Amino acid sequence: MNDIPRIDLIWCHHCILHYRKGNSLCPQELAFRIARRKKMKKAFAKFIGVKESEVNEADIPVVAIAGSGGGYRAMISSLGYMIGAKKSGLFDCTMYMAGVSGSCWMIAQYLTLGQRSFTKTMEHFKQSLNTPIAHYPSFIDTMLTNPGAAQLILEGVVQKYSKNRVLTLVDAFGTVLGSRLLIHREHDSDFGENGEWVDPLDFKLSQQSRWTNYGDQPLPIYTAVSHILPNTGPELKVVGDIVVDNDVGKEEDDSHYYQWFEMTPYEFGSEETSAWIPTWSFGRRFVEGKSVEKVPETNLAILLGTFGSAFTATLADYYNEVRPLLNKAMSDSMDTYIKDYLDGMSLIHPLSPSCFPNPIYKLPNPEPEAEHFSHRKNLYLNDAGMDNNLPLYPLLRPGRDVDVILAFDSSADIESVPWFEKTDEYVKRRGIERWPPISKTRAEQLEKQEGGPPRKMTHVELFHGIVADDRDADHIAQPEQSGAPRKTVLSQSKQDVQPITLVYFPLIPNQEYKEFNPSSEAFCSTFNFEVKEEQVELLAGLAEKNFGKAVEDVRKVLKETWIRKKKARQEHEKQERKNKPKHSETNNAKK
């Protein structure tokens, strides 16, 4: 292991720590990437069918998995896709695995009590998900018969209460959710009186670095968003458990947007605020960029509740959720009645989002994008699926240089999701040229489709990025076109830009599998928290089967990307060798 770079913590848990400014990757992630490439080399060569000696680590495509939200449905189906990726050898060629909501839950369990085994994670699901999350006798039984588990499960809310933090329903949800997802349940087990056992390190997200430091696993990226309301003061107004904007109905500017945050085992922060803190310090109070207290790391159960807090949606989101269930006459009537209030409904959360101390409170000389947050003592975080149910934005962060994204989409209403339209808007604001024109491609497909809309979906769809001098002029948005305060990232040289390929896996029925449609099964509802053992196998099996239909397509994409990167590197090295004598001659002439 001498060739694997050592990753040292740059922070001391007992010292006064400062936030990190900028958007470069942290030293730990940079070291992880080097270590991961070394671990991927053999697996990648095998996957694309070449000799390992032919592969230069620098040419290996950066592959990322993006798992959608969708409660237990997304958690189980994402596991099925991962099982397929592991069996094919593709998972061992992956650099990142990002999630929204339910996919975050799956990733966290895989890296903790799943012991980095998809087989063990599947067994855990089958043993733990068959009891409703609201079954309080089961929760109380665990608390009374397993003191170790009780202490770890309750640690999060006790810690927040003891530090006078704002407690919300999300904290209670995370506590109960943790009692289901973060405790090992083994039949005929010697662990605990009731066959339950826990590992204290599993409850600290930063401890997942044990499995990434030397490149053994892809780096997990967990996501959440903060709802930025128009013309709000320093703090959101909280009435009971309702979060509102003090000026709703008063201001002319009704724009609002969601600010994305990410959390890895190394750091928490947002690319657009250019401010980062160590993950183990999340939950501390910061003032002027420095921590002012020393408290334990935020409990993973609390974080899982935050990542999957879809129930803290706005009134408008609730209405849009129930509208398809109404008959046309009733929905038309309701539309007419509430249309004048819909904008205001988009600013009210009936249930308060999760609340944490703001790491950039009173930050001196903040970036423009951080100005709004720097005046707030607290940071309210929601399920990222409220904005985009696929975690694509963190994977487009400069420095990660992702080449291929495998998007596992288990969203409800899969045929009409707007995730790619939203991403198209994001890349225009950010000046990202590598992203494929998915919306345009889909519109062209629909025009050519016989029978008209809706557009017919397949088990896998490929979208290739375009990097060319004649790219659409409107691909890069001007600063004034952006409704939210955002940086416009300068374009790279065309020669340095590598296009992104997105491989999209929608969770749809498969005639080669079984007569099973997730969209019509009650147990696949986003808000269902009881899944029987055979239902876990059915849903995960569908995702695995669907993935199998795309293995050869993905293999082709990775090999083509590898060849392109290899050629670009060789041309660059050739040019450097060509220029080197000129520099030498110039230096000799000066002498």
Side-chain angles (χ1 to χ4, degrees):
M1 295 177 61
N2 292 333
D3 58 340
I4 302 295
R6 180 184 175 189
I7 303 178
D8 293 315
L9 286 175
I10 60 173
W11 307 101
C12 171
H13 290 254
H14 301 290
C15 66
I16 297 176
L17 67 94
H18 296 68
Y19 86 108
R20 186 177 70 86
K21 185 175 182 180
N23 277 325
S24 59
L25 301 183
C26 67
Q28 295 96 325
E29 183 171 342
L30 291 173
F32 154 79
R33 288 168 62 92
I34 296 172
R36 184 62 178 166
R37 285 185 184 277
K38 293 180 182 295
K39 291 293 179 74
M40 290 194 301
K41 184 177 179 179
K42 182 177 181 179
F44 177 75
K46 181 178 179 180
F47 184 76
I48 66 171
V50 300
K51 295 179 180 179
E52 185 178 353
S53 59
E54 296 181 49
V55 177
N56 184 309
E57 293 171 12
D59 304 331
I60 299 176
V62 178
V63 180
I65 288 173
S68 79
Y72 276 10
R73 178 189 65 251
M75 182 177 74
I76 297 168
S77 57
S78 289
L79 176 62
Y81 282 121
M82 293 284 201
I83 290 173
K86 182 67 175 180
K87 288 181 178 179
S88 69
L90 178 59
F91 182 79
D92 295 324
C93 306
T94 302
M95 182 73 74
Y96 296 102
M97 51 181 176
V100 167
S101 192
S103 289
C104 287
W105 300 345
M106 187 281 297
I107 293 171
Q109 290 172 91
Y110 166 73
L111 288 173
T112 55
L113 78 179
Q115 301 175 59
R116 283 70 59 202
S117 165
F118 292 120
T119 300
K120 291 182 178 180
T121 305
M122 171 66 83
E123 287 305 310
H124 170 65
F125 281 11
K126 291 192 291 186
Q127 293 171 14
S128 299
L129 306 185
N130 53 14
T131 301
I133 192 173
H135 188 254
Y136 290 107
S138 175
F139 177 78
I140 297 300
D141 181 64
T142 296
M143 297 298 103
L144 294 178
T145 60
N146 194 329
Q151 179 179 350
L152 290 168
I153 291 295
L154 298 175
E155 178 186 63
V157 290
V158 170
Q159 180 178 314
K160 292 190 74 171
Y161 178 78
S162 66
K163 292 296 180 180
N164 296 316
R165 305 290 195 246
V166 176
L167 287 169
T168 71
L169 186 60
V170 178
D171 300 312
F173 171 67
T175 300
V176 177
L177 184 70
S179 72
R180 285 283 98 205
L181 303 185
L182 296 178
I183 296 179
H184 299 256
R185 289 175 173 83
E186 299 186 2
H187 300 305
D188 301 323
S189 172
D190 294 329
F191 295 99
E193 297 178 5
N194 59 351
E196 299 178 344
W197 62 283
V198 292
D199 181 350
L201 294 181
D202 283 352
F203 284 77
K204 304 300 180 185
L205 194 149
S206 68
Q207 289 298 319
Q208 294 175 18
S209 62
R210 293 174 293 166
W211 322 121
T212 59
N213 280 352
Y214 295 103
D216 296 315
Q217 297 292 331
L219 185 70
I221 303 175
Y222 303 91
T223 59
V225 295
S226 184
H227 193 181
I228 308 305
L229 303 172
N231 295 338
T232 53
E235 286 293 328
L236 291 173
K237 182 179 180 181
V238 182
V239 181
D241 206 26
I242 300 179
V243 175
V244 299
D245 173 7
N246 294 322
D247 298 322
V248 170
K250 299 179 182 179
E251 71 287 331
E252 295 181 1
D253 179 15
D254 60 354
S255 63
H256 63 100
Y257 63 97
Y258 289 94
Q259 178 74 57
W260 277 66
F261 289 84
E262 65 172 70
M263 182 177 284
T264 72
Y266 304 128
E267 284 193 315
F268 168 84
S270 171
E271 177 195 345
E272 293 175 302
T273 60
S274 302
W276 307 86
I277 61 171
T279 294
W280 55 259
S281 71
F282 181 73
R284 293 186 179 192
R285 288 208 177 277
F286 283 72
V287 178
E288 297 181 347
K290 297 183 293 186
S291 68
V292 295
E293 63 181 355
K294 300 171 185 177
V295 298
E297 179 177 343
T298 298
N299 187 283
L300 181 59
I302 298 295
L303 295 177
L304 293 188
T306 301
F307 300 148
S309 56
F311 57 88
T312 63
T314 65
L315 285 177
D317 292 324
Y318 277 113
Y319 176 67
N320 291 331
E321 185 75 20
V322 302
R323 189 180 182 280
L325 304 178
L326 307 176
N327 61 49
K328 188 176 187 306
M330 183 175 293
S331 63
D332 289 345
S333 175
M334 289 292 291
D335 288 346
T336 301
Y337 178 75
I338 71 171
K339 66 179 182 179
D340 294 333
Y341 304 95
L342 198 57
D343 289 339
M345 290 170 62
S346 297
L347 307 177
I348 299 175
H349 294 264
L351 296 174
S352 176
S354 191
C355 181
F356 300 94
N358 182 9
I360 59 174
Y361 179 52
K362 293 186 177 180
L363 195 65
N365 303 314
E367 294 288 326
E369 292 80 2
E371 179 69 29
H372 179 89
F373 289 101
S374 65
H375 299 296
R376 292 189 168 183
K377 193 173 183 179
N378 293 317
L379 176 65
Y380 289 86
L381 294 176
N382 302 83
D383 186 319
M386 293 183 189
D387 183 46
N388 192 322
N389 211 32
L390 287 172
L392 300 172
Y393 305 160
L395 300 177
L396 301 178
R397 181 177 164 187
R400 288 192 169 139
D401 302 326
V402 173
D403 298 299
V404 179
I405 297 176
L406 310 178
F408 301 149
D409 193 356
S410 305
S411 302
D413 299 324
I414 195 76
E415 294 182 353
S416 58
V417 293
W419 317 138
F420 297 125
E421 288 79 2
K422 287 177 174 285
T423 306
D424 286 348
E425 295 173 0
Y426 176 84
V427 299
K428 286 181 180 179
R429 286 199 305 266
R430 303 292 292 169
I432 300 171
E433 296 188 285
R434 308 190 310 128
W435 183 250
I438 300 177
S439 301
K440 181 179 179 181
T441 302
R442 284 185 152 195
E444 292 172 349
Q445 291 174 347
L446 183 58
E447 289 181 3
K448 298 176 182 179
Q449 177 178 292
E450 295 182 6
R455 191 181 66 87
K456 296 178 182 178
M457 305 186 72
T458 58
H459 297 97
V460 60
E461 300 180 49
L462 274 66
F463 301 97
H464 299 285
I466 300 174
V467 178
D469 292 332
D470 59 350
R471 190 177 181 93
D472 294 341
D474 64 351
H475 182 70
I476 308 299
Q478 299 303 315
E480 61 270 16
Q481 290 177 283
S482 175
R486 296 289 195 272
K487 290 181 181 177
T488 299
V489 179
L490 296 177
S491 303
Q492 301 179 55
S493 167
K494 300 293 182 184
Q495 296 178 346
D496 299 329
V497 176
Q498 293 287 342
I500 293 173
T501 295
L502 183 129
V503 187
Y504 179 61
F505 295 83
L507 186 67
I508 57 177
N510 189 328
Q511 294 181 350
E512 299 176 10
Y513 180 58
K514 295 178 181 179
E515 192 172 333
F516 167 56
N517 186 347
S519 64
S520 60
E521 294 287 343
F523 81 87
C524 291
S525 167
T526 301
F527 296 103
N528 173 61
F529 290 95
E530 178 185 7
V531 185
K532 302 302 181 183
E533 182 174 333
E534 63 274 13
Q535 293 172 333
V536 170
E537 294 178 340
L538 182 66
L539 182 53
L542 173 63
E544 182 182 349
K545 184 70 174 181
N546 286 358
F547 182 85
K549 296 177 72 68
V551 171
E552 294 309 314
D553 290 325
V554 176
R555 197 188 315 278
K556 181 180 178 182
V557 166
L558 261 60
K559 189 167 186 177
E560 290 175 348
T561 304
W562 170 68
I563 292 173
R564 185 180 68 242
K565 294 185 71 173
K566 181 178 180 179
K567 182 180 179 181
R569 175 183 57 81
Q570 291 174 336
E571 290 179 353
H572 180 72
E573 291 175 349
K574 181 180 179 181
Q575 189 63 38
E576 281 192 333
R577 289 193 297 270
K578 184 178 179 181
N579 294 336
K580 192 172 182 180
K582 293 182 179 180
H583 292 305
S584 300
E585 292 173 5
T586 302
N587 292 334
N588 291 333
K590 289 181 178 180
K591 292 179 180 178

